[in-house]
Amino acid sequence: MDLYEHQGKELFAQAGIPVAEGRVAFTPEEARAAAEDLGGRVVVKSQVLTGGRGKAGGVKVVDGPGPAHEAAGAIIGLDIKGHITRRLLVERAVAIADEYYFSITFDRAAKMPLLMLTTMGGMDVEAVAEEHPERLARLHVDPALGYRGFHGQRLMSEAGVPVAERKALAPLLAALYGVFADRDAMLVEVNPLVRLEDGSFLAADAKVTIDDNALYRHPDIEAMRDLAAADPQEQAAREADLAYVKLDGDVGILGNGAGLVMSTVDVIAQVGGRPANFCDVGGGASAEKIATALGIVLSDDKVKSVLFNIFGGITRGDEVAKGLLGALEQTEVRAPIVVRLDGTNATEGRALLAAAARPEITVEETMLGAAETAVRLAGEVA
Amino acid sequence: MAVIATADTRLVVQGITGREGAFHALRNRAYGTQVVAGVTPGKAGEDVEGIPVFDSVADAVDKAGANTSLVVVPPRFAAEAILEAADAGIGQIVCITEGIPAHDMLEVYHYVRPRGIRLLGPNCPGALSPGIANIGIIPAEVFSPGPIGLVSRSGTLTYQIGGELAAAGLGNSTIIGIGGDPVIGTSFIDALDLFEADPETEFIVMVGEIGGTDEEKAAEVIAERITKPVVAYIAGFEAPPGKTMGHAGAIISGSSGTAAAKKAALEARGVPVGTNPTEAARLVVERLGA
């Protein structure tokens, strides 16, 4: 789960990490009130789950409530890399002396958290890594050891942080690692991490991603989920415990197992079709879950045909057939469905489908054959 | 011989009194695996159709001689179950559970790895040596004995490829599902090394997917020290960046982890890569037939 900047900063503030005082606003009026409340110069920032906000005009520094109202009007609705701005963070402007960068990523290859620090903050860190690799200090933390003071000292030394600044910066690095470890984060990134004119440090941005599998330990973070921004199908799928990702095409896809469904998406494209979604019903899916999944896939108006690709392991072919037939009983299915059943109880499943003889259903023997038929049927509807 | 699932396997099933645990314990036993014990705290003295249940893995080791564990417990308890097995002296742990927090797995990984304990998974289908033993949830009826070692991050995709190979009359030495999570105990490289050392394995098929760089690293190892022929398949060419495709580990981050990059890395090391399961199976048949 990706957090908005203001949500990440809320976690930071709870861990004692300094952030600028700010308010969340959803309308220009709320932005005006926030600016009035904060007083003086404020920064109005688009809250979207992507980078490049500054370049896109999503961050404006203004003086007072009137200009804040005006800036908010310009930023709300702004499309930043396909993300529409629906909320703003209005923050008190700070006097910046220097911009650094600090991040903690979950390094899958090393299976350890990776710390990265550079004094060249404010810019794209990948550019720093490319053009000035010697300026980007990198250090792994052995999870058995956890973060220790020496990690911070080594990093600051390698990144060339002036000695006089290290005493002020060290506790922030430790506290940010605390957020990473205590909050089950997969990413904590602060860019820029700013040094103020008074010599203190402050997290001027926050990019935090939390492990979905650990959200049960963090109900406060789960409650931060922005239901309005979620795609309606993705939201319905999450509630039904289905893995669903919306794509752009017209062939709906359902299958069991992430790998098989990814492969099915590929094959649809390879035979000249356009996949509408990725939908994994998971292992051992019941008839009811299959029916729910089909409903979600079909609730995307673009879908013109559906490919059902099941290779039973824990999932049983007869259960899948029952779920599909049940769904056809309950709701009017507006698109043709191509079914490919293999593996556990596939023979029984195919027999059930044959006995029902529904005109909406075409049964195919192979994955490739099923993909070709689904793409052809989508073309005929169009 | 085969690997991981062998005639010497003495299996304890952690979570045996649960619905899934009982189902797969019995299925594995019916296939011929020696299932010697089950563990559910508080249920010592009971049995699951003749399989004795113990309170702890330590008891299963002492009293039933278990040497391999199958972990089928809910995600909140699975990391601890793995650690318990490791602490009890179990040498091989296969974890099926999906949804274990990644930070928990960091701790587990760094406990088991230096101790030389083999962990397969989590979020994996297990290991099957056709005709010998099955540990986990792989549907054995799809596979038959043969010379191909099959290693995969995905369960059902393994079945798909296994099915395509079987249709061409080709069987397997062992099928290893390494799992789709960001932190897994056995990597492609570990599996390749096992197959390289296994006399029953003559040919290796590797099934990868988007996310991480394990396939790229495996490509380097194949060039370096794997003498047996390898064919690969990668899933997720059409996956959009930044979206988790079902498996927690299947996500393209920035420009890293794409299927195209993995295919290129493997092909640069002389490993043919199929772009769909049918093509991958055809590549195997071409090479084995020659």
Side-chain angles (χ1 to χ4, degrees), chain A residues 2 106-113 126 141-144 177 180-186 211-217 231 234 243-247 256-270 273 275 277-278 280 282-284 309-316 340 342-345 366-368, chain B residues 19-20 23-24 27 75-77 96 98-104 106-107 109-110 137-139 141-142 153-157 159-161 163-164 180-185 187 209-214 217 233-240 242-251 254-255 259 275-279:
Chain A
D2 294 328
F106 193 101
D107 185 345
R108 292 170 49 158
K111 298 185 174 66
M112 291 188 197
E126 277 164 18
V141 175
D142 183 337
Y177 189 88
F180 180 82
D182 299 343
R183 295 308 208 137
D184 283 289
M186 301 304 281
D211 179 6
D212 288 324
N213 287 340
L215 282 172
Y216 73 88
R217 291 201 276 244
D231 174 86
E234 293 190 3
Y244 177 99
V245 175
K246 177 99 143 247
L247 304 169
N256 63 322
L260 185 65
V261 182
M262 259 187 273
S263 179
T264 309
V265 168
D266 288 351
V267 171
I268 287 289
Q270 284 166 11
N277 67 276
F278 164 102
D280 175 12
N309 189 14
I310 301 286
F311 205 118
I314 317 189
T315 308
R316 292 162 29 185
R340 182 270 182 147
D342 218 327
T344 311
N345 292 7
T366 67
M367 179 162 157
L368 213 51
Chain B
R19 198 175 68 97
E20 297 286 314
F23 180 75
H24 293 293
R27 218 155 152 253
R76 296 180 193 202
F77 312 108
I96 306 300
E98 176 175 4
I100 305 177
H103 281 256
D104 292 2
L106 278 187
E107 188 187 356
Y109 182 87
H110 290 280
I137 63 173
I138 297 175
E141 57 278 12
V142 178
R153 266 164 80 182
S154 153
T156 46
L157 197 47
Y159 317 156
Q160 173 70 33
I161 299 214
E164 305 244 11
D181 269 7
V183 180
I184 49 175
S187 66
E209 63 190 33
I210 57 161
T213 54
D214 284 0
K217 283 196 271 169
Y233 167 64
I234 307 288
F237 285 91
E238 300 295 321
K243 292 278 189 181
T244 302
M245 303 297 272
H247 285 153
I251 180 166
S255 58
T275 49
N276 60 58
T278 312
E279 190 189 345

